[in-house]
């Protein structure tokens, strides 16, 4: 069992490596937060609700000798709807295409059936190196962490595979995050950079804007809503007749829910919730795009969209 805590030795090689890594794990295992910590800028939606990452968001870590492209897949789970099945297909396809898989396991939760379900699936993917990333280490003491590391090592043995590394990290406390990148990079193939310097993600801006709005809309709503919200950015246009030093970007977006009864939850009494969603997401969007934004939000009902292939297509799934 190799657990990395100290800094790895830097080999004296000058080859450039570039490739793809993806983080997997149960919903809410800290995958998106870790992606954001590695990239150093907010690129993946983070929410304390499970099942919020729907799009494959790639975060790009630039190093002088390497480029690590992070693919953030939705959590793998037992599907209940057509959307759920599609998400699981996306996960498996992604696993087959990346150079290394990081399996995120929170330090503060004992291994459960969900973790075993994913580890079993991982065991079936033979060629790709698998790194166990023990997240949220800031929430536990050293004894609990040690027990978790042993349990994770055992899990691999039970299923007949060896972890390439077991790395404890805290994305929130920024502990060992750089070390994780140092360990993933040697597992990538030799390659020139695949993306221009300065790119942090290859998601179209509209998709990222929609994700930020969706994240703000999810905050503080009741448990029945997380899967029922989809956001589509209808248009993003620079406002005409603005002086060059005072640009304004007009963004028109629709928040879709499944039932009319959910509309009130999103809009809130006297429209206060929707206004908060607008204020919160506008700040994030302005930070992302680096320009002032006018955000126009509307809430619409798309009846049972998660079960309707036509609507799923329309909403980008």
């Amino acid at each position: 069992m190799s657990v990395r805590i100290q800094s790895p030795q830097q080999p004296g090689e000058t080859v450039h490596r570039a490739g793809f890594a993806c983080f997997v794990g149960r919903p809410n295992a800290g995958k998106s937060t870790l992606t954001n910590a590695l990239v150093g800028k907010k690129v993946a939606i983070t929410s304390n609700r499970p099942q919020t990452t729907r799009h494959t968001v790639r975060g790009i870590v630039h190093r002088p000798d390497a480029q690590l492209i992070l693919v953030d897949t939705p959590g793998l789970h037992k599907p209940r709807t057509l959307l759920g099945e599609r998400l699981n297909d996306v996960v498996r396809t992604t696993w087959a295409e990346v150079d290394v898989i990081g399996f995120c396991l929170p330090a503060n939760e004992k291994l459960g059936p969900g973790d075993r379900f994913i580890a079993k699936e991982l065991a079936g993917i033979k060629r790709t190196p698998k790194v166990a990333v023990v997240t949220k280490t800031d929430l536990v003491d050293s004894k609990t962490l040690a027990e978790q590391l042993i349990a994770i090592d055992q899990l691999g043995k039970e299923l007949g595979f060896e972890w390439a590394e077991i790395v404890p990290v805290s994305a929130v406390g920024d502990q060992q995050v750089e070390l994780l990148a140092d360990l993933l990079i040697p597992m990538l193939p030799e390659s020139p950079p695949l993306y221009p310097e300065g790119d942090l993600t290859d998601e179209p801006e509209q998709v990222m804007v929609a994700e930020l709005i969706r994240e703000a809309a999810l905050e503080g709503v009741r448990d029945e809503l997380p899967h029922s919200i989809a956001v589509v950015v209808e248009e993003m246009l620079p406002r005409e007749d603005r002086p060059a030093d005072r640009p304004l970007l007009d963004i028109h977006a629709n928040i879709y829910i499944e039932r009319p009864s959910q509309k009130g939850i999103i809009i809130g009494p006297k429209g206060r919730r929707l206004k908060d969603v607008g204020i919160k997401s506008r700040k994030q969007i302005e930070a992302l795009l680096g320009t002032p934004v006018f955000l126009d939000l509307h809430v619409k009902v798309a009846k049972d969209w998660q079960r309707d292939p036509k609507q799923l297509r329309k909403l980008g799934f």
Side-chain angles (χ1 to χ4, degrees):
M1 165 177 172
S2 84
V3 177
R4 284 298 183 98
I5 307 247
Q6 78 297 346
S7 254
Q9 296 301 307
Q10 292 300 324
E13 55 178 55
T14 51
V15 300
H16 190 282
R17 295 180 180 276
F20 295 84
C22 78
F23 292 134
V24 303
R26 301 186 265 124
N28 211 14
K31 303 182 292 288
S32 298
T33 310
L34 189 55
T35 298
N36 293 334
L38 278 161
V39 177
K41 184 171 174 181
K42 189 159 192 176
V43 291
I45 176 173
T46 54
S47 157
N48 58 4
R49 301 237 170 268
Q51 284 316 316
T52 49
T53 313
R54 290 212 176 129
H55 294 279
T56 302
V57 177
R58 292 178 174 82
I60 304 167
V61 180
H62 296 275
R63 292 273 183 93
D65 60 341
Q67 198 175 66
L68 174 65
I69 299 137
L70 303 167
V71 187
D72 194 12
T73 54
L76 188 80
H77 62 297
K78 296 205 164 79
R80 288 191 305 277
T81 61
L82 180 60
L83 173 65
E85 282 170 35
R86 286 208 185 159
L87 292 180
N88 281 358
D89 291 343
V90 168
V91 176
R92 291 193 188 91
T93 310
T94 305
W95 290 5
E97 291 167 356
V98 296
D99 301 297
V100 54
I101 299 170
F103 184 14
C104 294
L105 298 133
N108 62 331
E109 294 172 36
K110 283 200 164 20
L111 298 185
D115 298 314
R116 285 177 191 284
F117 174 68
I118 294 169
K120 246 196 196 118
E121 294 273 335
L122 281 179
I125 295 179
K126 299 287 183 230
R127 284 198 305 275
T128 316
K130 294 167 267 296
V131 172
V133 185
V134 188
T135 58
K136 309 188 186 187
T137 56
D138 52 304
L139 301 178
V140 297
D141 58 25
S142 53
K143 181 174 174 287
T144 310
L145 178 58
E147 286 166 1
Q148 186 74 324
L149 294 173
I150 292 163
I152 290 167
D153 186 46
Q154 279 304 114
L155 179 64
K157 288 197 170 91
E158 273 168 43
L159 295 170
F161 69 88
E162 177 111 15
W163 300 107
E165 299 277 359
I166 300 177
V167 194
V169 300
S170 165
V172 175
D174 200 22
Q175 290 161 334
Q176 303 246 110
V177 173
E178 283 299 306
L179 170 68
L180 176 61
D182 293 342
L183 293 172
L184 295 174
I185 284 165
M187 300 178 195
L188 306 178
E190 291 185 22
S191 157
L194 302 171
Y195 287 87
E197 181 72 53
D199 278 16
L200 293 174
T201 170
D202 76 347
E203 275 289 27
E205 285 178 341
Q206 249 164 281
V207 173
M208 293 179 72
V209 166
E211 290 283 89
L212 288 172
I213 296 168
R214 187 162 177 270
E215 178 177 9
L218 279 171
E219 227 158 87
V221 295
R222 280 190 244 151
D223 290 346
E224 70 265 25
L225 279 196
H227 297 293
S228 309
I229 299 176
V231 175
V232 176
V233 173
E234 296 296 337
E235 59 178 16
M236 285 170 52
L237 296 168
R239 174 93 47 106
E240 286 175 19
D241 310 325
R242 294 284 291 195
D245 59 341
R246 289 183 48 236
L248 185 68
L249 187 67
D250 284 318
I251 298 179
H252 300 277
N254 291 328
I255 299 174
Y256 288 95
I257 47 178
E258 294 196 292
R259 292 187 295 283
S261 60
Q262 296 169 335
K263 214 167 175 176
I265 300 173
I266 291 287
I267 293 171
K270 295 191 174 156
R272 276 202 299 272
R273 256 217 98 247
L274 188 62
K275 196 175 170 192
D276 284 349
V277 170
I279 292 167
K280 195 159 200 157
S281 53
R282 196 188 75 233
K283 276 189 188 143
Q284 299 265 18
I285 293 163
E286 289 180 341
L288 175 77
L289 303 178
T291 180
V293 161
F294 171 78
L295 184 58
D296 175 40
L297 291 180
H298 293 273
V299 181
K300 300 194 167 189
V301 179
K303 202 168 169 334
D304 292 331
W305 63 264
Q306 291 192 67
R307 292 181 165 74
D308 177 347
K310 210 154 82 209
Q311 303 223 51
L312 278 172
R313 271 199 303 281
K314 186 184 153 208
L315 298 176
F317 299 111

Short mmCIF file of all heavy atoms in Angstrom, two decimals, residues 106-154:
data_model
loop_
_atom_site.label_atom_id
_atom_site.label_comp_id
_atom_site.label_asym_id
_atom_site.label_seq_id
_atom_site.Cartn_x
_atom_site.Cartn_y
_atom_site.Cartn_z
N PRO A 106 -14.56 10.39 0.41
CA PRO A 106 -14.44 11.34 1.52
C PRO A 106 -13.87 10.67 2.77
O PRO A 106 -14.26 9.55 3.11
CB PRO A 106 -15.88 11.80 1.77
CG PRO A 106 -16.70 11.25 0.67
CD PRO A 106 -15.94 10.14 0.02
N ALA A 107 -12.95 11.37 3.44
CA ALA A 107 -12.32 10.83 4.65
C ALA A 107 -13.32 10.72 5.79
O ALA A 107 -13.15 9.90 6.70
CB ALA A 107 -11.16 11.74 5.06
N ASN A 108 -14.38 11.55 5.73
CA ASN A 108 -15.29 11.63 6.88
C ASN A 108 -16.50 10.71 6.76
O ASN A 108 -17.43 10.79 7.54
CB ASN A 108 -15.78 13.08 7.06
CG ASN A 108 -16.57 13.57 5.85
OD1 ASN A 108 -16.33 13.12 4.73
ND2 ASN A 108 -17.52 14.46 6.06
N GLU A 109 -16.51 9.82 5.75
CA GLU A 109 -17.62 8.87 5.63
C GLU A 109 -17.07 7.48 5.40
O GLU A 109 -16.23 7.29 4.53
CB GLU A 109 -18.53 9.25 4.45
CG GLU A 109 -19.26 10.57 4.64
CD GLU A 109 -19.99 10.99 3.36
OE1 GLU A 109 -20.50 10.11 2.65
OE2 GLU A 109 -19.99 12.21 3.07
N LYS A 110 -17.55 6.52 6.17
CA LYS A 110 -17.09 5.14 5.98
C LYS A 110 -17.46 4.64 4.58
O LYS A 110 -18.45 5.08 4.01
CB LYS A 110 -17.73 4.23 7.05
CG LYS A 110 -17.08 4.37 8.42
CD LYS A 110 -17.41 3.15 9.27
CE LYS A 110 -16.55 2.94 10.49
NZ LYS A 110 -15.82 4.08 11.02
N LEU A 111 -16.67 3.72 4.06
CA LEU A 111 -16.97 3.17 2.73
C LEU A 111 -18.35 2.51 2.76
O LEU A 111 -18.66 1.76 3.68
CB LEU A 111 -15.92 2.13 2.33
CG LEU A 111 -14.48 2.62 2.20
CD1 LEU A 111 -13.59 1.50 1.69
CD2 LEU A 111 -14.38 3.83 1.31
N GLY A 112 -19.15 2.80 1.76
CA GLY A 112 -20.51 2.25 1.74
C GLY A 112 -20.79 1.53 0.44
O GLY A 112 -19.91 1.39 -0.42
N PRO A 113 -22.04 1.04 0.27
CA PRO A 113 -22.41 0.29 -0.93
C PRO A 113 -22.17 1.11 -2.21
O PRO A 113 -21.76 0.56 -3.24
CB PRO A 113 -23.91 0.03 -0.76
CG PRO A 113 -24.25 0.38 0.65
CD PRO A 113 -23.15 1.22 1.21
N GLY A 114 -22.39 2.43 -2.14
CA GLY A 114 -22.17 3.27 -3.32
C GLY A 114 -20.72 3.24 -3.78
O GLY A 114 -20.42 3.17 -4.98
N ASP A 115 -19.79 3.27 -2.80
CA ASP A 115 -18.36 3.22 -3.13
C ASP A 115 -18.00 1.86 -3.74
O ASP A 115 -17.23 1.79 -4.70
CB ASP A 115 -17.51 3.44 -1.86
CG ASP A 115 -17.77 4.81 -1.24
OD1 ASP A 115 -17.79 5.80 -1.99
OD2 ASP A 115 -17.96 4.87 -0.01
N ARG A 116 -18.56 0.80 -3.15
CA ARG A 116 -18.27 -0.54 -3.68
C ARG A 116 -18.79 -0.71 -5.10
O ARG A 116 -18.14 -1.30 -5.96
CB ARG A 116 -18.90 -1.62 -2.78
CG ARG A 116 -18.13 -1.77 -1.52
CD ARG A 116 -18.72 -2.76 -0.52
NE ARG A 116 -17.99 -2.57 0.73
CZ ARG A 116 -16.75 -3.02 0.94
NH1 ARG A 116 -16.13 -3.71 0.01
NH2 ARG A 116 -16.15 -2.78 2.08
N PHE A 117 -19.98 -0.17 -5.33
CA PHE A 117 -20.61 -0.23 -6.66
C PHE A 117 -19.66 0.39 -7.70
O PHE A 117 -19.39 -0.19 -8.75
CB PHE A 117 -21.95 0.52 -6.61
CG PHE A 117 -22.65 0.67 -7.93
CD1 PHE A 117 -23.18 -0.44 -8.59
CD2 PHE A 117 -22.79 1.92 -8.52
CE1 PHE A 117 -23.84 -0.29 -9.82
CE2 PHE A 117 -23.44 2.07 -9.74
CZ PHE A 117 -23.97 0.96 -10.39
N ILE A 118 -19.09 1.56 -7.37
CA ILE A 118 -18.18 2.24 -8.31
C ILE A 118 -16.86 1.49 -8.42
O ILE A 118 -16.33 1.29 -9.51
CB ILE A 118 -17.94 3.69 -7.85
CG1 ILE A 118 -19.24 4.49 -7.95
CG2 ILE A 118 -16.86 4.36 -8.72
CD1 ILE A 118 -19.21 5.85 -7.29
N ALA A 119 -16.32 1.03 -7.27
CA ALA A 119 -15.03 0.32 -7.29
C ALA A 119 -15.13 -0.95 -8.14
O ALA A 119 -14.20 -1.29 -8.86
CB ALA A 119 -14.61 -0.01 -5.85
N LYS A 120 -16.28 -1.63 -8.06
CA LYS A 120 -16.50 -2.84 -8.88
C LYS A 120 -16.44 -2.50 -10.35
O LYS A 120 -15.85 -3.21 -11.16
CB LYS A 120 -17.87 -3.42 -8.54
CG LYS A 120 -17.81 -4.77 -7.87
CD LYS A 120 -19.17 -5.45 -7.94
CE LYS A 120 -19.20 -6.59 -6.93
NZ LYS A 120 -20.19 -6.43 -5.90
N GLU A 121 -17.11 -1.39 -10.73
CA GLU A 121 -17.09 -0.95 -12.12
C GLU A 121 -15.65 -0.62 -12.53
O GLU A 121 -15.21 -0.93 -13.63
CB GLU A 121 -17.96 0.31 -12.29
CG GLU A 121 -19.44 0.09 -12.07
CD GLU A 121 -20.17 -0.36 -13.33
OE1 GLU A 121 -19.69 -0.07 -14.44
OE2 GLU A 121 -21.21 -1.02 -13.20
N LEU A 122 -14.91 0.04 -11.63
CA LEU A 122 -13.53 0.41 -11.92
C LEU A 122 -12.65 -0.81 -12.13
O LEU A 122 -11.75 -0.81 -12.96
CB LEU A 122 -12.94 1.24 -10.76
CG LEU A 122 -13.31 2.72 -10.68
CD1 LEU A 122 -12.66 3.33 -9.45
CD2 LEU A 122 -12.88 3.47 -11.93
N ALA A 123 -12.92 -1.85 -11.32
CA ALA A 123 -12.11 -3.07 -11.42
C ALA A 123 -12.18 -3.66 -12.83
O ALA A 123 -11.26 -4.31 -13.30
CB ALA A 123 -12.59 -4.09 -10.39
N GLY A 124 -13.32 -3.40 -13.51
CA GLY A 124 -13.49 -3.92 -14.87
C GLY A 124 -12.69 -3.15 -15.92
O GLY A 124 -12.56 -3.58 -17.06
N ILE A 125 -12.17 -1.99 -15.53
CA ILE A 125 -11.39 -1.20 -16.49
C ILE A 125 -9.93 -1.48 -16.21
O ILE A 125 -9.34 -0.98 -15.27
CB ILE A 125 -11.73 0.31 -16.35
CG1 ILE A 125 -13.19 0.49 -16.75
CG2 ILE A 125 -10.82 1.17 -17.20
CD1 ILE A 125 -13.73 1.85 -16.68
N LYS A 126 -9.35 -2.36 -17.02
CA LYS A 126 -8.06 -2.95 -16.66
C LYS A 126 -6.87 -2.03 -16.88
O LYS A 126 -6.02 -1.89 -16.04
CB LYS A 126 -7.83 -4.25 -17.46
CG LYS A 126 -8.88 -5.33 -17.19
CD LYS A 126 -8.70 -5.95 -15.81
CE LYS A 126 -9.72 -7.07 -15.60
NZ LYS A 126 -10.46 -6.98 -14.37
N ARG A 127 -6.78 -1.38 -18.04
CA ARG A 127 -5.52 -0.74 -18.42
C ARG A 127 -5.28 0.60 -17.74
O ARG A 127 -4.15 1.00 -17.55
CB ARG A 127 -5.47 -0.55 -19.94
CG ARG A 127 -5.19 -1.86 -20.68
CD ARG A 127 -4.70 -1.57 -22.08
NE ARG A 127 -5.66 -0.72 -22.80
CZ ARG A 127 -6.72 -1.19 -23.44
NH1 ARG A 127 -6.96 -2.49 -23.46
NH2 ARG A 127 -7.54 -0.37 -24.07
N THR A 128 -6.35 1.30 -17.36
CA THR A 128 -6.18 2.66 -16.84
C THR A 128 -5.73 2.67 -15.38
O THR A 128 -6.35 2.01 -14.55
CB THR A 128 -7.53 3.41 -16.95
OG1 THR A 128 -8.10 3.13 -18.22
CG2 THR A 128 -7.38 4.90 -16.78
N PRO A 129 -4.63 3.40 -15.05
CA PRO A 129 -4.22 3.47 -13.64
C PRO A 129 -5.31 4.15 -12.79
O PRO A 129 -5.96 5.09 -13.25
CB PRO A 129 -2.95 4.32 -13.65
CG PRO A 129 -2.72 4.77 -15.04
CD PRO A 129 -3.75 4.17 -15.93
N LYS A 130 -5.48 3.65 -11.56
CA LYS A 130 -6.52 4.18 -10.68
C LYS A 130 -5.88 4.72 -9.41
O LYS A 130 -5.16 4.00 -8.73
CB LYS A 130 -7.52 3.08 -10.35
CG LYS A 130 -8.32 2.63 -11.58
CD LYS A 130 -9.09 1.34 -11.38
CE LYS A 130 -8.36 0.09 -11.79
NZ LYS A 130 -8.05 -0.01 -13.23
N VAL A 131 -6.16 5.99 -9.12
CA VAL A 131 -5.60 6.64 -7.93
C VAL A 131 -6.74 6.88 -6.95
O VAL A 131 -7.77 7.44 -7.33
CB VAL A 131 -4.94 7.99 -8.32
CG1 VAL A 131 -4.53 8.77 -7.08
CG2 VAL A 131 -3.75 7.76 -9.25
N ALA A 132 -6.57 6.43 -5.71
CA ALA A 132 -7.59 6.71 -4.69
C ALA A 132 -7.28 8.08 -4.08
O ALA A 132 -6.20 8.29 -3.54
CB ALA A 132 -7.58 5.63 -3.61
N VAL A 133 -8.23 9.00 -4.22
CA VAL A 133 -8.04 10.35 -3.68
C VAL A 133 -8.94 10.48 -2.45
O VAL A 133 -10.17 10.47 -2.57
CB VAL A 133 -8.42 11.42 -4.73
CG1 VAL A 133 -8.10 12.81 -4.18
CG2 VAL A 133 -7.69 11.18 -6.04
N VAL A 134 -8.33 10.56 -1.28
CA VAL A 134 -9.12 10.65 -0.05
C VAL A 134 -9.37 12.13 0.23
O VAL A 134 -8.47 12.87 0.59
CB VAL A 134 -8.38 9.98 1.12
CG1 VAL A 134 -9.29 9.89 2.34
CG2 VAL A 134 -7.92 8.58 0.71
N THR A 135 -10.62 12.57 0.00
CA THR A 135 -10.96 13.99 0.08
C THR A 135 -11.43 14.38 1.48
O THR A 135 -11.69 13.52 2.33
CB THR A 135 -12.08 14.33 -0.93
OG1 THR A 135 -13.22 13.50 -0.64
CG2 THR A 135 -11.64 14.07 -2.36
N LYS A 136 -11.55 15.68 1.68
CA LYS A 136 -12.12 16.24 2.92
C LYS A 136 -11.35 15.84 4.17
O LYS A 136 -11.93 15.62 5.24
CB LYS A 136 -13.61 15.85 3.06
CG LYS A 136 -14.43 16.17 1.80
CD LYS A 136 -15.92 15.96 2.00
CE LYS A 136 -16.68 16.13 0.69
NZ LYS A 136 -18.11 16.12 0.80
N THR A 137 -10.01 15.73 4.05
CA THR A 137 -9.20 15.30 5.19
C THR A 137 -9.21 16.34 6.31
O THR A 137 -8.87 16.03 7.45
CB THR A 137 -7.74 15.02 4.77
OG1 THR A 137 -7.22 16.21 4.15
CG2 THR A 137 -7.65 13.87 3.80
N ASP A 138 -9.60 17.58 5.98
CA ASP A 138 -9.67 18.62 7.02
C ASP A 138 -10.79 18.35 8.03
O ASP A 138 -10.85 18.98 9.08
CB ASP A 138 -9.87 20.01 6.38
CG ASP A 138 -11.06 20.03 5.42
OD1 ASP A 138 -11.09 19.20 4.48
OD2 ASP A 138 -11.98 20.85 5.61
N LEU A 139 -11.69 17.41 7.69
CA LEU A 139 -12.84 17.15 8.57
C LEU A 139 -12.60 16.01 9.57
O LEU A 139 -13.49 15.68 10.34
CB LEU A 139 -14.09 16.84 7.73
CG LEU A 139 -14.54 17.92 6.75
CD1 LEU A 139 -15.75 17.46 5.96
CD2 LEU A 139 -14.86 19.23 7.47
N VAL A 140 -11.42 15.36 9.51
CA VAL A 140 -11.20 14.20 10.40
C VAL A 140 -9.86 14.30 11.14
O VAL A 140 -8.98 15.04 10.72
CB VAL A 140 -11.22 12.87 9.60
CG1 VAL A 140 -12.57 12.63 8.95
CG2 VAL A 140 -10.10 12.81 8.57
N ASP A 141 -9.73 13.50 12.22
CA ASP A 141 -8.44 13.43 12.92
C ASP A 141 -7.56 12.37 12.26
O ASP A 141 -8.01 11.61 11.39
CB ASP A 141 -8.63 13.16 14.41
CG ASP A 141 -9.39 11.85 14.67
OD1 ASP A 141 -9.36 10.95 13.80
OD2 ASP A 141 -10.02 11.73 15.74
N SER A 142 -6.30 12.29 12.69
CA SER A 142 -5.34 11.41 12.01
C SER A 142 -5.70 9.92 12.16
O SER A 142 -5.45 9.12 11.27
CB SER A 142 -3.92 11.67 12.48
OG SER A 142 -3.87 11.61 13.89
N LYS A 143 -6.32 9.55 13.29
CA LYS A 143 -6.68 8.14 13.51
C LYS A 143 -7.77 7.72 12.51
O LYS A 143 -7.68 6.68 11.85
CB LYS A 143 -7.18 7.95 14.95
CG LYS A 143 -7.57 6.53 15.29
CD LYS A 143 -7.91 6.40 16.77
CE LYS A 143 -8.43 5.02 17.13
NZ LYS A 143 -9.81 4.78 16.64
N THR A 144 -8.79 8.57 12.36
CA THR A 144 -9.88 8.27 11.41
C THR A 144 -9.34 8.20 9.98
O THR A 144 -9.71 7.32 9.20
CB THR A 144 -10.97 9.37 11.49
OG1 THR A 144 -11.32 9.56 12.86
CG2 THR A 144 -12.21 9.00 10.70
N LEU A 145 -8.41 9.11 9.66
CA LEU A 145 -7.82 9.13 8.31
C LEU A 145 -7.05 7.83 8.06
O LEU A 145 -7.21 7.20 7.01
CB LEU A 145 -6.90 10.34 8.15
CG LEU A 145 -6.18 10.47 6.81
CD1 LEU A 145 -7.16 10.52 5.64
CD2 LEU A 145 -5.29 11.71 6.77
N ALA A 146 -6.25 7.41 9.05
CA ALA A 146 -5.47 6.18 8.90
C ALA A 146 -6.39 4.98 8.66
O ALA A 146 -6.13 4.14 7.79
CB ALA A 146 -4.61 5.95 10.14
N GLU A 147 -7.49 4.91 9.41
CA GLU A 147 -8.44 3.79 9.23
C GLU A 147 -9.03 3.80 7.83
O GLU A 147 -9.20 2.75 7.20
CB GLU A 147 -9.56 3.90 10.29
CG GLU A 147 -9.10 3.50 11.69
CD GLU A 147 -10.09 3.91 12.78
OE1 GLU A 147 -11.16 4.50 12.46
OE2 GLU A 147 -9.80 3.64 13.96
N GLN A 148 -9.35 5.00 7.35
CA GLN A 148 -9.94 5.12 6.00
C GLN A 148 -8.93 4.67 4.93
O GLN A 148 -9.28 3.98 3.98
CB GLN A 148 -10.40 6.56 5.77
CG GLN A 148 -11.15 6.80 4.47
CD GLN A 148 -12.57 6.24 4.49
OE1 GLN A 148 -12.81 5.20 5.08
NE2 GLN A 148 -13.49 6.92 3.84
N LEU A 149 -7.66 5.05 5.10
CA LEU A 149 -6.63 4.68 4.12
C LEU A 149 -6.48 3.16 4.06
O LEU A 149 -6.37 2.58 2.97
CB LEU A 149 -5.28 5.32 4.50
CG LEU A 149 -5.20 6.85 4.43
CD1 LEU A 149 -3.89 7.36 5.00
CD2 LEU A 149 -5.40 7.35 3.02
N ILE A 150 -6.52 2.51 5.22
CA ILE A 150 -6.40 1.04 5.26
C ILE A 150 -7.61 0.39 4.59
O ILE A 150 -7.48 -0.54 3.80
CB ILE A 150 -6.23 0.55 6.72
CG1 ILE A 150 -4.86 1.00 7.27
CG2 ILE A 150 -6.36 -0.96 6.82
CD1 ILE A 150 -4.72 0.95 8.78
N ALA A 151 -8.80 0.93 4.90
CA ALA A 151 -10.04 0.37 4.31
C ALA A 151 -10.02 0.49 2.78
O ALA A 151 -10.45 -0.43 2.07
CB ALA A 151 -11.25 1.10 4.88
N ILE A 152 -9.49 1.60 2.28
CA ILE A 152 -9.45 1.81 0.82
C ILE A 152 -8.46 0.85 0.17
O ILE A 152 -8.72 0.28 -0.89
CB ILE A 152 -9.10 3.29 0.52
CG1 ILE A 152 -10.29 4.19 0.91
CG2 ILE A 152 -8.75 3.48 -0.96
CD1 ILE A 152 -9.99 5.67 0.97
N ASP A 153 -7.31 0.67 0.83
CA ASP A 153 -6.31 -0.28 0.33
C ASP A 153 -6.93 -1.68 0.25
O ASP A 153 -6.78 -2.38 -0.76
CB ASP A 153 -5.11 -0.27 1.28
CG ASP A 153 -3.97 -1.12 0.75
OD1 ASP A 153 -3.66 -0.99 -0.46
OD2 ASP A 153 -3.39 -1.90 1.52
N GLN A 154 -7.66 -2.07 1.30
CA GLN A 154 -8.33 -3.37 1.35
C GLN A 154 -9.35 -3.53 0.23
O GLN A 154 -9.46 -4.59 -0.38
CB GLN A 154 -9.06 -3.54 2.70
CG GLN A 154 -8.17 -3.97 3.83
CD GLN A 154 -7.44 -5.26 3.50
OE1 GLN A 154 -6.22 -5.27 3.37
NE2 GLN A 154 -8.18 -6.35 3.34
#
